Amino acid sequence: MKIKEIEIYGYGKWVDRKFTGIDQLQIYYGQNEAGKTTLMSFIHSILFGFPTKQSSELRYEPKESTRYGGRLIVEDTPYGEAIIERVKGKANGDVTLTLADGVV
């Protein structure tokens, strides 16, 4: 699976941010507090769920937005392009997977 696009609605310091053209290996670098770990946590949270309030993991709820979550556009051989979207909801968030043929 490769990630083709990252769209963040609200996650930590990232609000209404889109990363495109990333269908090959990417290296993110920057000074401390640039958001590298937040971006890595965002990808993990979209795939596996947001940490619960009882968890010791950071939740990265945005302070400057009411929207929490985002989506990844990924590509995989058997299914083609798919959109994985996770937003604030019960427990680990509400997730939706939309395949290239429109099946949700």
Side-chain angles (χ1 to χ4, degrees):
M1 178 180 80
K2 63 181 171 180
I3 298 174
K4 296 182 71 176
E5 184 177 300
I6 300 170
E7 184 175 354
I8 303 173
Y9 306 148
Y11 195 82
K13 73 180 292 173
W14 300 108
V15 175
D16 294 326
R17 183 66 198 262
K18 188 182 280 192
F19 298 89
T20 59
I22 55 172
D23 53 348
Q24 295 184 0
L25 174 67
Q26 298 292 313
I27 298 174
Y28 289 94
Y29 64 94
Q31 297 179 351
N32 289 343
E33 303 301 317
K36 301 177 300 291
T37 302
T38 304
L39 184 59
M40 182 181 68
S41 174
F42 171 79
I43 294 169
H44 185 271
S45 291
I46 294 298
L47 295 173
F48 301 105
F50 299 130
T52 61
K53 291 187 178 184
Q54 293 79 23
S55 172
S56 62
E57 295 179 58
L58 293 174
R59 291 179 45 84
Y60 291 100
E61 291 187 71
K63 295 178 182 166
E64 299 179 15
S65 174
T66 57
R67 295 181 74 194
Y68 179 41
R71 68 183 189 161
L72 299 176
I73 298 178
V74 299
E75 188 171 21
D76 194 20
T77 305
Y79 301 104
E81 193 171 284
I83 300 171
I84 305 167
E85 180 178 46
R86 188 177 299 269
V87 294
K88 186 175 185 173
K90 293 184 179 183
N92 298 84
D94 296 332
V95 66
T96 305
L97 173 65
T98 307
L99 300 177
D101 62 3
V103 173
V104 177

